[in-house]
Amino acid sequence: SLIGRLMFQLPEEMGLIAVAVRQTQGKGRGGNVWLSPVGCALSTLHISIPLHSNLGQRIPFVQHLASLAVAEAVRSIPGYEDIELRVKWPNDIYYSDLMKIGGVLVNSTLIETTFHILIGFGFNVNNSNPTICINDLIAKFNREEGTELKPLSADCLIARTVTVLERLIEIFQEKGPNGVLPQYYKYWVHSGKQVRLRSEDGPLAWIVGIDDYGYLQVHEEGKGVESVHPDGNSFDMLRNLIVPK
């Protein structure tokens, strides 16, 4: 990709962002192709994280911070705090716990003692089809609450997301996971949810939270708490399935 090539020709501390109007060759998790028409906010951001830093030691958290930044970009606007934009571990942005509205994909390359990270994020701002978009959520909120919140633009939300993400990274570097987890849990869809482990008729477990390295913690009755890793698309809200590594 162009941004992948550009990444290594730029001054160290310079952040680079590419914004796409339409995307046809997007990549999702596990090799899925991600098609994005006009009306989606799409961008790829380059950041550098020192290996010997709080976040450098916990790189899986980057995708959680990026997902949180998208939700926060909308919900930190005065009046928009109750728009039901949420995060789904490990890297999705959801309308409540009902529908995917966007996602984040992170690629990291360690060069000497610095992680060069490309964060791709895309979320549906204006397209009502095939699912739902952020401006639909705002219109729905206006109808239900009698408010007159204005629709948001993709450009505004990309800019806000990047600003919020930079702030979240600063907080994480200073305070570690505990600096950001309360906000993450406020917006995530999993509180109190039950899942089945290993297979669809496997043992029941409760989702507890995420551990210091960004992996999901579940509590299986009689077994205590264990951490599970994302495994392709096996964590599927419809099937409530997690495969521990």
Side-chain angles (χ1 to χ4, degrees):
S1 71
L2 172 63
I3 195 163
R5 293 197 302 276
L6 273 175
M7 190 166 95
F8 301 109
Q9 299 164 13
L10 287 169
E12 183 66 34
E13 62 290 343
M14 179 174 168
L16 175 73
I17 186 163
V19 177
V21 175
R22 184 187 275 111
Q23 179 172 293
T24 55
Q25 296 292 313
K27 288 183 172 48
R29 279 169 60 85
N32 295 335
V33 175
W34 185 355
L35 298 175
S36 297
V38 172
C40 282
L42 283 176
S43 51
T44 305
L45 176 68
H46 167 236
I47 57 169
S48 301
I49 301 288
L51 168 62
H52 303 296
S53 67
N54 267 328
L55 192 51
Q57 295 295 301
R58 299 172 178 83
I59 282 297
F61 257 101
V62 173
Q63 64 190 334
H64 309 325
L65 296 183
S67 303
L68 175 56
V70 174
E72 182 77 15
V74 173
R75 299 185 67 167
S76 61
I77 303 171
Y80 293 73
E81 296 90 348
D82 294 324
I83 301 298
E84 271 290 293
L85 206 59
R86 295 193 170 270
V87 293
K88 172 177 165 253
W89 181 92
N91 64 339
D92 289 335
I93 293 115
Y94 259 63
Y95 154 50
S96 183
D97 60 354
L98 301 171
M99 234 175 271
K100 182 169 173 172
I101 217 165
V104 168
L105 194 68
V106 174
N107 283 314
S108 57
T109 309
L110 182 61
I111 301 172
E112 293 172 0
T113 58
T114 305
F115 278 108
H116 290 268
I117 298 176
L118 289 177
I119 303 171
F121 56 87
F123 45 94
N124 189 353
V125 182
N126 280 323
N127 292 323
S128 297
N129 292 316
T131 53
I132 198 167
C133 66
I134 289 171
N135 283 332
D136 288 343
L137 301 188
I138 294 167
K140 177 176 181 290
F141 186 81
N142 283 338
R143 282 196 306 277
E144 290 170 1
E145 303 295 327
T147 46
E148 293 182 8
L149 299 176
K150 291 185 166 37
L152 300 170
S153 73
D155 291 354
C156 152
L157 287 180
I158 290 171
R160 288 186 68 88
T161 298
V162 172
T163 305
V164 171
L165 178 59
E166 285 176 346
R167 178 83 191 107
L168 287 171
I169 289 171
E170 271 174 31
I171 294 169
F172 196 100
Q173 293 294 36
E174 193 185 320
K175 300 183 176 167
N178 292 339
V180 299
L181 280 176
Q183 195 67 352
Y184 185 78
Y185 290 144
K186 185 174 148 191
Y187 291 149
W188 87 332
V189 297
H190 305 290
S191 295
K193 292 273 166 75
Q194 266 191 324
V195 288
R196 290 206 177 263
L197 299 180
R198 291 176 281 280
S199 70
E200 291 187 49
D201 49 7
L204 270 177
W206 296 95
I207 294 180
V208 177
I210 55 181
D211 69 13
D212 260 5
Y213 293 92
Y215 295 121
L216 202 67
Q217 291 177 305
V218 296
H219 180 251
E220 192 183 336
E221 207 141 320
K223 284 277 184 76
V225 174
E226 66 173 329
S227 291
V228 294
H229 298 230
D231 183 24
N233 292 322
S234 66
F235 182 58
D236 180 338
M237 281 190 106
L238 302 175
R239 292 186 307 152
N240 266 353
L241 181 64
I242 297 176
V243 182
K245 286 273 195 281

